[in-house]
DNA sequence: GTCGTTGGCATTTTT
DNA sequence: TGCCAACGAC
């Protein structure tokens, strides 16, 4: 096996990114520039050229999917299974390290990893002495505050008073400390702790750090732009070795940083050269995915952001000429969905695979409209995202049963299942249980046994709880004798859990049973139940069933890293995209992140990108007028084609009042926009209309298709405020108003 | 303790 | 508009 063969068919930049093995290296990899290929080939290159043994390379990703893909591709390159590598997600790798040194942070190596439900249950307990008004300070928000601190590498003692920003009346820091104490008592970690604890250990135990410095000769990091502060600290601790070069290679794209709200710090990538002196930077700019038009449109858009490291995607393919990016204006969100479906239909007739089309939305609520239409059109689709496999209630329940099986003092799990199926244990009984457990200084399960003996339960609930405890002890014996698959089957059966779903008449019950079957099937792939649970808490994700011929509907965030022949990008309207909330909370930074999200969206497309916006959108209960997104104006004209145009911001002034006595009679039939005019090609008829249009002024009576008649309260450029008779005062676009002649 | 009703509410979510 | 959570009635 020669190294050379792997370096063939790489462009010079990719080659440089692979062959520059020594010293810090930042690979700025634009969308579709062969990032994964570089990462995996680099890994293989280091191995095959004898620079390091497999276990001396640390390779970090964010998602399990990325880790899996990398592992597979490395296997293919080196011609053997890639096992025993330090390759995985930040969290999985940290968990692995933490199991080795858990005692330094007051845990044992068998610590439990909590899911979000557990966290909530725990914080609920912890917060009690503070008598927090949970209406004002919802607990998930409190957990969010704590999580942000953990993202930044702040243990409770590192949180300053000023940081305690007032959530929960300034008690957040104290609650955080108490929460951490409880976790320790339970020998448990939440996700944030996996990073936080190991960083704390590396910070305070030079001997441990030294151990890893000797171990890891090379570090590879994927999606560096998405790292948060703890992750950055962890990498920096590991990479900066005394008297040796920092062989850290970070691959990322500052233009695709879209997770700041989860604690990601774009600054990490922007600062790379300062953090790692002598760093080299390689830019991958040749895009092998998209047509020149798509790249041009995306480049024009992202150029509006400041503070970029700077990178311009160039078409890398010969056949890169293609269609312009289409911008479609529609009357309302229904028409938008209909339009997309019709286009999908047309493409399908022309033999385009449905699996190669995607509808990428800004927010989850947008999917519903598409779902309905797709059903109506009979187009197979799948909603990607939503609840992942292990987040489903039945899976969590089953896992909780398993956790109690191998660990009778796992109170969080026990609390979850003690009354599922119903065993007559409500809040009162639960409180009694907690009291008993506290008194005996034992777990809840033991408290149940104790109360059963002392007649603490009556009637049916006594019977059922006794039976539950018997099932657990019985299946624990089975576990030893016949293994975990048999034991778990027995447990779920005898506890009545499966029966509960069989008796459930709701339409999703069969699906849930199917999921449970799937879960039990997966058990067999693991040697022990403990291994399985570890895997599940860190790694298990919905491995989508083989790529079917379905249109994908997902959020822009969810689409990162994917590509499709055709991408539909609906809802490009001010307030929706860019999202009003981001604008309010994040200001200019927020806007830039939204723009990056738009950039991510466009660059998912290989051949066709279709952007849509609607003039009127139903959000929850009511219709809202919406302006075209400013991003539409930022797309360079030479790469786009506008159709069914409503005025964009740029020409709103010219067009306002434009349609007074007209026009949009057949909004229902037409998937075209209400306005027939095409940009920059205003016909004489239209000009005529424009000139003769009565002015919309304050006090004028107007009519609006959706809101009926009303009186203009204020008029300002395109946006006009109208007091409607039926629906109150609203801001609407004046081009949708007809002036009523008295 | 369970069931039904009401009222608040509603981005993005790699682990 | 539709969902979930918290509360009140049996």
């Amino acid at each position: 096996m020669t190294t050379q063969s792997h370096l063939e068919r790489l462009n010079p930049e990719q080659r440089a990114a692979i062959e520059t093995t020594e010293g810090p290296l930042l690979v700025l990899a634009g969308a579709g520039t062969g990032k994964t290929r570089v990462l995996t080939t680099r890994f293989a290159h280091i191995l095959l050229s004898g620079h390091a043994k497999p276990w001396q390379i640390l390779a970090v990703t964010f998602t399990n999917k990325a880790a899996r893909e990398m592992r597979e591709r490395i296997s293919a390159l080196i011609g053997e299974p890639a096992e025993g590598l330090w390759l995985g997600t930040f969290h999985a790798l940290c968990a692995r390290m933490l199991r080795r040194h858990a005692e330094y942070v007051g845990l044992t190596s068998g610590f439990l990893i909590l899911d979000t439900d557990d966290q909530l249950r725990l914080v609920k307990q912890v917060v009690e002495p503070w008598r927090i008004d949970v209406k004002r300070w919802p607990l998930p928000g409190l957990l969010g505050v704590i999580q942000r601190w953990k993202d930044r590498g702040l243990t409770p003692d590192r949180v300053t008073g000023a940081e305690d920003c007032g959530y929960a009346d300034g008690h957040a820091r104290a609650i955080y400390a108490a929460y951490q104490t409880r976790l320790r008592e339970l020998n448990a970690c939440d996700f944030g702790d996996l990073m936080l604890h190991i960083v704390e250990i590396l910070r305070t135990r030079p001997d441990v750090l030294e151990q890893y410095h000797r171990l890891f000769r090379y570090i590879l990091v994927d999606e560096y732009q998405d790292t948060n502060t703890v992750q950055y600290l962890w990498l920096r601790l590991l990479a900066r070795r005394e008297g040796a070069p920092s062989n850290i290679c970070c691959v990322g794209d500052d233009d695709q940083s879209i997770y700041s709200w989860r604690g990601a710090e774009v600054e990490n990538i922007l600062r790379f050269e300062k953090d790692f002196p002598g760093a080299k930077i390689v830019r991958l700019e040749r895009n092998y995915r998209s047509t020149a038009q798509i790249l041009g449109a995306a480049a024009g858009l992202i150029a509006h952001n400041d503070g970029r490291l700077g990178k311009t995607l160039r078409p890398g393919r010969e056949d890169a000429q293609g269609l312009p990016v289409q911008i479609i204006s529609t009357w309302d969100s229904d028409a938008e969905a209909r339009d997309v479906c019709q286009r999908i239909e047309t493409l399908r007739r022309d033999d385009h695979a449905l699996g190669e089309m995607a509808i990428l939305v800004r927010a989850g609520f947008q999917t519903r409209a598409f779902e309905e239409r797709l059903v109506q059109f009979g187009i197979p689709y799948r909603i990607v995202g939503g609840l992942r496999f292990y987040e489903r209630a039945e899976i969590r329940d089953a896992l909780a049963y398993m956790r109690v099986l191998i660990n009778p003092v796992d109170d969080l799990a026990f609390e979850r299942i003690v009354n599922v199926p119903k065993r007559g244990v409500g809040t009162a009984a639960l409180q009694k249980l907690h009291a008993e457990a506290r008194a005996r200084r034992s777990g809840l399960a033991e408290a149940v046994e104790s109360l059963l003996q002392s007649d603490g339960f009556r009637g049916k609930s006594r019977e059922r709880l006794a039976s539950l405890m018997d099932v657990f002890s019985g299946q624990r014996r089975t576990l030893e004798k016949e293994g975990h698959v048999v034991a778990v089957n027995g447990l779920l059966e005898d506890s009545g859990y499966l029966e509960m779903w069989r008796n459930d008449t709701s339409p999703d019950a069969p699906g849930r049973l199917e999921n449970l079957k799937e879960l039990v099937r997966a058990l067999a792939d693991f040697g022990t139940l403990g291994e399985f649970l570890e895997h599940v808490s860190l790694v298990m994700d919905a491995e989508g069933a083989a790529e079917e011929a379905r249109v994908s509907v997902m959020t822009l965030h969810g689409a990162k890293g994917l590509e499709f022949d055709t991408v539909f990008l609906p809802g490009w309207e001010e307030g929706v995209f860019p999202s009003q909330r981001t604008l309010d909370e994040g200001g200019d930074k927020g806007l830039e992140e939204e723009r990056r999200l738009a950039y991510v969206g466009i660059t998912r497309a290989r051949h066709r990108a279709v952007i849509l916006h609607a003039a009127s959108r139903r959000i929850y209960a009511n219709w809202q007028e919406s302006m075209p997104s400013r991003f539409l104006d930022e797309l360079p004209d030479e790469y786009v084609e506008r159709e069914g145009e409503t005025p964009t911001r740029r020409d709103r002034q010219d067009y306002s009042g434009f349609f007074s006595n007209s026009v949009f009679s057949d909004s229902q039939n037409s998937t075209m926009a209400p306005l027939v005019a095409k940009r920059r090609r205003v016909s004489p008829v239209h000009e005529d209309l424009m000139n003769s249009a009565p002015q919309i002024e304050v006090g004028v009576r107007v009519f609006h298709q959706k809101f009926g008649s009303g009186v203009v309260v204020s008029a300002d450029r395109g946006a006009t405020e109208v007091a409607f008779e039926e629906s109150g005062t609203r801001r609407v676009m004046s081009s949708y108003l007809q002036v009523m002649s008295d």
Side-chain angles (χ1 to χ4, degrees), chain A residues 488-603:
Chain A
V488 168
N489 260 315
L491 178 63
L492 296 179
E493 195 58 68
D494 298 351
S495 62
Y497 187 70
L498 289 174
E499 198 57 27
M500 177 186 86
W501 287 117
R502 287 195 202 106
N503 294 335
D504 193 307
T505 52
S506 63
D508 52 343
R512 291 177 191 270
L513 281 164
E514 199 49 50
N515 290 337
L516 288 164
K517 247 193 216 158
E518 180 64 41
L519 185 74
V520 173
R521 211 173 300 143
L523 270 175
D525 297 341
F526 294 82
T528 69
L529 191 49
E531 275 175 39
F532 174 74
L533 290 175
E534 170 83 359
H535 174 83
V536 162
S537 56
L538 286 171
V539 177
M540 199 148 168
D541 51 7
E543 272 173 79
E547 287 303 303
E548 284 168 283
R550 290 169 182 279
V551 175
S552 299
V553 183
M554 63 179 108
T555 63
L556 288 158
H557 284 92
K560 192 172 149 204
L562 304 178
E563 55 183 278
F564 302 89
D565 282 342
T566 303
V567 165
F568 296 96
L569 300 160
W572 283 43
E573 293 137 37
E574 287 294 302
V576 176
F577 191 37
S579 136
Q580 191 56 50
R581 193 139 156 198
T582 303
L583 259 34
D584 292 345
E585 285 166 13
D588 284 349
K589 287 212 157 170
L591 174 63
E592 295 212 339
E593 183 150 314
E594 294 285 298
R595 194 177 280 118
R596 290 194 289 268
L597 200 49
Y599 173 79
V600 167
I602 295 173
T603 54

Side-chain angles (χ1 to χ4, degrees), chain A residues 37-57:
Chain A
R37 179 145 188 241
V38 163
L39 219 41
T40 52
T41 312
R42 182 182 168 91
F43 195 110
H45 176 73
I46 291 170
L47 284 183
L48 295 170
S49 59
H51 282 74
K53 297 290 176 197
W55 57 87
Q56 293 174 318
I57 307 173

Side-chain angles (χ1 to χ4, degrees), chain A residues 290-312:
Chain A
S290 309
T291 63
Q293 280 87 343
I294 288 167
L295 293 176
L301 178 75
I302 200 67
H304 286 81
N305 271 5
D306 287 333
R308 301 169 57 219
L309 287 170
K311 212 172 0 62
T312 311

Side-chain angles (χ1 to χ4, degrees), chain A residues 241-313:
Chain A
R241 304 182 294 168
E242 198 71 42
S246 294
N247 294 332
I248 183 170
C249 169
C250 295
V251 180
D253 180 358
D254 50 320
D255 291 334
Q256 291 186 68
S257 163
I258 54 174
Y259 281 107
S260 74
W261 49 276
R262 264 186 122 278
E265 303 270 351
V266 213
E267 286 72 23
N268 290 346
I269 195 169
L270 302 176
R271 221 183 35 230
F272 188 83
E273 285 176 286
K274 285 207 188 93
D275 287 331
F276 298 100
K280 294 207 174 80
I281 295 188
V282 173
R283 285 180 165 77
L284 304 182
E285 298 176 300
R286 285 192 219 186
N287 174 298
Y288 299 96
R289 176 189 297 163
S290 309
T291 63
Q293 280 87 343
I294 288 167
L295 293 176
L301 178 75
I302 200 67
H304 286 81
N305 271 5
D306 287 333
R308 301 169 57 219
L309 287 170
K311 212 172 0 62
T312 311
L313 290 181

Side-chain angles (χ1 to χ4, degrees), chain A residues 9-78:
Chain A
R9 299 179 57 222
L10 292 164
N11 67 39
E13 300 82 35
Q14 291 175 326
R15 241 182 127 114
I18 289 160
E19 291 182 310
T20 311
T21 55
E22 307 307 298
L25 175 70
L26 177 63
V27 179
L28 287 174
T33 55
K35 178 195 74 166
T36 311
R37 179 145 188 241
V38 163
L39 219 41
T40 52
T41 312
R42 182 182 168 91
F43 195 110
H45 176 73
I46 291 170
L47 284 183
L48 295 170
S49 59
H51 282 74
K53 297 290 176 197
W55 57 87
Q56 293 174 318
I57 307 173
L58 177 69
V60 202
T61 64
F62 272 85
T63 66
N64 293 304
K65 197 174 156 214
R68 212 180 304 129
E69 190 179 334
M70 225 173 128
R71 188 179 296 274
E72 280 161 14
R73 289 173 71 163
I74 289 167
S75 293
L77 283 170
I78 63 177

Side-chain angles (χ1 to χ4, degrees), chain A residues 85-134:
Chain A
L85 308 180
W86 285 89
L87 186 164
T89 63
F90 276 98
H91 294 269
L93 291 166
C94 283
R96 184 166 158 194
M97 285 188 182
L98 193 56
R99 298 241 181 249
R100 298 172 148 197
H101 317 289
E103 70 278 9
Y104 292 133
V105 287
L107 300 170
T108 73
S109 75
F111 64 78
L112 184 71
I113 299 167
L114 301 190
D115 65 24
T116 38
D117 287 357
D118 296 327
Q119 286 181 51
L120 206 59
R121 248 189 299 272
L122 195 61
V123 81
K124 212 178 249 168
Q125 290 171 26
V126 166
V127 99
E128 226 160 276
W130 278 273
R131 307 236 159 264
I132 298 294
D133 176 7
V134 291

